[in-house]
Amino acid sequence: KELELYANIRPVKIFDALKHLSPLKAERIAGVDFVVVRELTGGIYFGEHILEDRSARDINDYSYEEVERIVRKAFDIARGRRKHVTSIDKQNVLATSKLWRRVADEVAKDYPDVTLEHQLVDSAAMLMITNPAKFDVVVTENLFGDILSDESSVLSGTLGVMPSASHSAAGPSLYEPIHGSAPDIAGQGIANPISMILSVAMMLRDSFSELEAAEAIEVAVEKTLAQGILSRDLGGQATTTQMTESIINNL
């Protein structure tokens, strides 16, 4: 909030060498490659919270401008991908979602080359399991994004290969593995470095427009996995250092 990092970006891609780790059948995850765009500084997390002895209340609050900037971010990302945005809400119940859907429709007029579809959050959660390959860019509010991005992150079978980025409008960006830190295994040499390395690739692409460098890192990671060099969470025996050195060698 302090850094005004309003846009959380989580790409979801299944590596061929890791398909066996997914909890879904191989045919369900074939072709999965989408991005979750989550609004990160508004909504129920930053609304008023009232807790009394026998009742409680949480305020879910969004302005037109907050919705517009995150939806526009999703459309900008979609233009560099398959040009399809899925906006997720609960407009049959929530006033904030009614606003969200209206704003999404208005923003879409500025992107005639991008297709917009709407999904209610419950049906979207179902589709993310039954047909995840249908998604290209998913955009949604803070609470729904929290839940759906965690749901989508398990499609690959491990959090150890999932990068993320959080962007401000005109200030810094923050890149980090979606799993955060793991102090319980610090110093043991068993952590999977891939999500950190792929977060650097995201940084090179999104903040510095170093597209060739970003792609080179991603290809090196894929090649390393294809060679069967796997850390313990992937079912292998490679240490953090060994896996990192293999990726560097392939790079």
Side-chain angles (χ1 to χ4, degrees), residues 236-249:
Q237 295 298 319
T239 65
T240 307
T241 300
Q242 289 169 340
M243 181 161 248
T244 303
E245 287 177 347
S246 296
I247 293 170
I248 292 171
N249 288 335

Side-chain angles (χ1 to χ4, degrees), residues 50-66:
I50 302 169
L51 176 62
E52 299 175 347
D53 287 342
R54 299 178 69 85
S55 66
R57 188 181 188 194
D58 299 289
I59 307 300
N60 189 28
D61 190 24
Y62 269 112
S63 68
Y64 186 104
E65 290 74 20
E66 285 177 311

Side-chain angles (χ1 to χ4, degrees), residues 12-14 18-19 21-24 28-29 32 34 127-133 135 148-159 162:
V12 180
K13 184 177 180 181
I14 311 297
L18 303 181
K19 284 182 176 178
L21 296 177
S22 177
L24 300 187
R28 286 276 172 88
I29 59 171
V32 169
F34 64 91
L127 284 169
M128 205 161 275
I129 297 300
T130 58
N131 187 20
F135 296 112
L148 292 177
S149 63
D150 279 357
E151 179 188 8
S152 65
S153 69
V154 303
L155 295 176
S156 67
T158 174
L159 294 179
M162 306 292 283

Side-chain angles (χ1 to χ4, degrees), residues 174-195:
L174 172 69
Y175 297 86
E176 61 180 342
I178 69 166
H179 55 64
S181 62
D184 55 317
I185 60 170
Q188 299 178 40
I190 60 174
N192 186 341
I194 287 180
S195 55

Side-chain angles (χ1 to χ4, degrees), residues 59-122:
I59 307 300
N60 189 28
D61 190 24
Y62 269 112
S63 68
Y64 186 104
E65 290 74 20
E66 285 177 311
V67 179
E68 180 186 24
R69 67 178 181 177
I70 191 66
V71 171
R72 199 169 290 279
K73 185 75 172 179
F75 273 87
D76 287 337
I77 292 172
R79 269 189 167 163
R81 292 176 50 87
R82 301 195 303 276
K83 295 181 170 59
H84 191 278
V85 171
T86 302
S87 177
I88 295 174
D89 57 42
K90 191 64 177 171
Q91 70 90 33
N92 56 339
V93 176
L94 301 177
T96 48
S97 283
K98 288 180 171 63
L99 173 67
W100 185 283
R101 186 167 292 207
R102 175 161 57 87
V103 174
D105 283 334
E106 291 176 6
V107 170
K109 295 175 183 176
D110 294 334
Y111 298 83
D113 55 323
V114 179
T115 300
L116 170 66
E117 71 165 347
H118 299 285
Q119 282 282 345
L120 296 176
V121 64
D122 41 356

